[in-house]
Amino acid sequence: VTTEAASAASKLSSGLRELAGVLHRDHSADAVLQLVTELAAQTLTGAHGVSISLKAGGGYTTASALPASLVPIDESQYDPSRGPCVEALERNQCIEGNLRDCCERWPEFVSAARAGGYEFVMSVPLSSDVTDAVSGALNVYSRDVDPFDSEQRRAATAFAHSAGAALNNAEAFKRAALENEHLNLALHSRGLIGEAKGIIMERTGCSSDDAFDELRRLSQSTNRKVVVIAHEIVQSAQRARDDGRNGDG
Amino acid sequence: MVSTLHAGFLASGLSLSQLWFSYFGLGGNATQLQLGRFVSGEDDPGAHEHDLIAHALNERFHDLDLDSPVAYSNE
């Protein structure tokens, strides 16, 4: 093992270790993708630019790019739906090419990438188990014509798979946070409605089910949500209690 | 106009989880699994639970500026 290879392996290992930590501590998808891009750019020998493209809802976006000048280069393939990243996502496999040989295959992309000084690109799908809603690819650009050996290809694939796991983690966290928000709203609504039902039951001597029916009828007749009616009843009872206390005082 | 919980659920465009949050927020006590059986017609929810589910669906239709098409138990 040469010193150079050992150094590359060490860089890769430390990059992947750092990424694994992200799975547990950082849940923002944007932050994760930014970090993956930075780590891949620092780690992959021969890489002069790295970006991550995402496909969601039928459209592509570049989620992160280093340098930022890669964004319009990535975008040059989205509209014509023709380029290495588009192919990598369509075929779910690593796609790479020396740009001089790909003028007919990806005319818009090759023109933009070569104008930016790049000669080679490799696009690796993030991982096969990324969420159904989002898929993505790690794009590695080089200014050299034959920059990557099998070791670098394996490293890029490892990065892409780790990025996919990080993205999955971020998406799962986002879903959990959203569910938590929905649950909090539901608990708040349930609390208000329960309180309003108690007030109605106290006033009328009816059952809990009948109290809800009363709320529902009020909701239907006024075209307002049950929780809004409940909130008004609770507030009104609170005001009456406060007035009573003030009157007593 | 749809009359059953099943038809209302299908027309609402809600996922079972979204419907459960609305239903639970109104005071419903069934689990998401039980709710799934109620809206599929596998189990009878009883009048009160039926009305809670129907109202959760009708509030959804109201949000979409549509009529309240799901019938309550006494209709």
Side-chain angles (χ1 to χ4, degrees):
Chain A
V1 180
T2 65
T3 309
E4 200 178 321
S7 160
S10 164
K11 264 170 40 179
L12 174 62
S13 165
S14 99
L16 289 175
R17 229 184 3 257
E18 188 166 346
L19 191 53
V22 170
L23 301 181
H24 301 292
R25 72 167 190 267
D26 195 332
H27 305 294
S28 152
D30 288 345
V32 169
L33 296 178
Q34 188 65 42
L35 184 60
V36 169
T37 304
E38 285 168 17
L39 288 172
Q42 289 163 14
T43 306
L44 298 172
T45 306
H48 297 108
V50 176
S51 69
I52 293 179
S53 301
L54 296 181
K55 185 182 181 188
Y60 296 90
T61 54
T62 293
S64 65
L66 199 67
S69 56
L70 286 180
V71 173
I73 299 175
D74 276 354
E75 287 175 349
S76 69
Q77 59 184 310
Y78 298 159
D79 222 13
S81 206
R82 192 160 51 187
C85 161
V86 171
E87 270 187 40
L89 287 174
E90 278 174 358
R91 293 158 65 177
N92 196 29
Q93 66 180 61
C94 177
I95 298 291
E96 61 175 47
N98 181 324
L99 297 183
R100 289 181 195 178
D101 300 334
C102 301
C103 296
E104 285 185 24
R105 187 175 171 193
W106 309 319
E108 301 85 357
F109 174 76
V110 167
S111 169
R114 294 202 68 201
Y118 298 104
E119 294 293 339
F120 196 94
V121 67
M122 171 167 60
S123 288
V124 190
L126 290 193
S127 70
S128 55
D129 60 349
V130 173
T131 60
D132 291 342
V134 182
S135 57
L138 181 79
N139 310 306
V140 188
Y141 291 79
S142 180
R143 298 190 187 284
D144 304 327
V145 289
D146 185 20
F148 305 125
D149 59 15
S150 57
E151 200 58 39
Q152 293 308 310
R153 289 186 179 90
R154 271 200 294 275
T157 303
F159 255 107
H161 284 195
S162 296
L167 188 61
N168 265 343
N169 186 57
E171 286 291 319
F173 181 81
K174 203 161 87 180
R175 277 198 303 276
L178 194 63
E179 290 224 330
N180 191 39
E181 190 186 322
H182 288 161
L183 186 58
N184 278 333
L185 283 173
L187 283 168
H188 177 69
S189 159
R190 189 180 173 93
L192 271 176
I193 290 170
E195 209 175 330
K197 283 197 301 187
I199 293 166
I200 294 171
M201 288 160 68
E202 193 182 349
R203 283 178 190 163
T204 65
C206 70
S207 70
S208 170
D209 290 0
D210 288 342
F212 179 78
D213 284 344
E214 177 62 18
L215 286 172
R216 177 172 65 75
R217 275 192 290 272
L218 284 167
S219 160
Q220 285 176 280
S221 63
T222 58
N223 261 335
R224 286 177 305 159
K225 294 196 175 211
V226 161
V227 70
V228 175
I229 307 283
H231 182 62
E232 286 172 0
I233 290 173
V234 170
Q235 276 195 322
S236 161
Q238 180 67 46
R239 273 197 301 273
R241 273 198 298 273
D242 291 346
D243 289 347
R245 261 192 232 110
N246 291 338
D248 291 344
Chain B
M1 175 80 180
V2 294
S3 57
T4 65
L5 295 181
H6 182 60
F9 175 55
L10 292 180
S12 72
L14 292 172
S15 67
L16 185 61
S17 164
Q18 289 170 321
L19 176 61
W20 184 82
F21 281 120
S22 301
Y23 155 84
F24 177 76
L26 289 174
N29 289 315
T31 63
Q32 200 175 123
L33 202 63
Q34 289 170 318
L35 180 65
R37 289 201 292 265
F38 294 155
V39 295
S40 69
E42 280 175 76
D43 285 345
D44 177 9
H48 180 60
E49 293 292 320
H50 173 102
D51 287 348
L52 285 166
I53 301 166
H55 196 74
L57 289 168
N58 285 335
E59 285 201 345
R60 161 72 171 173
F61 289 117
H62 184 259
D63 287 342
L64 299 174
D65 274 335
L66 299 170
D67 288 337
S68 300
V70 184
Y72 294 98
S73 58
N74 61 352
E75 292 177 338

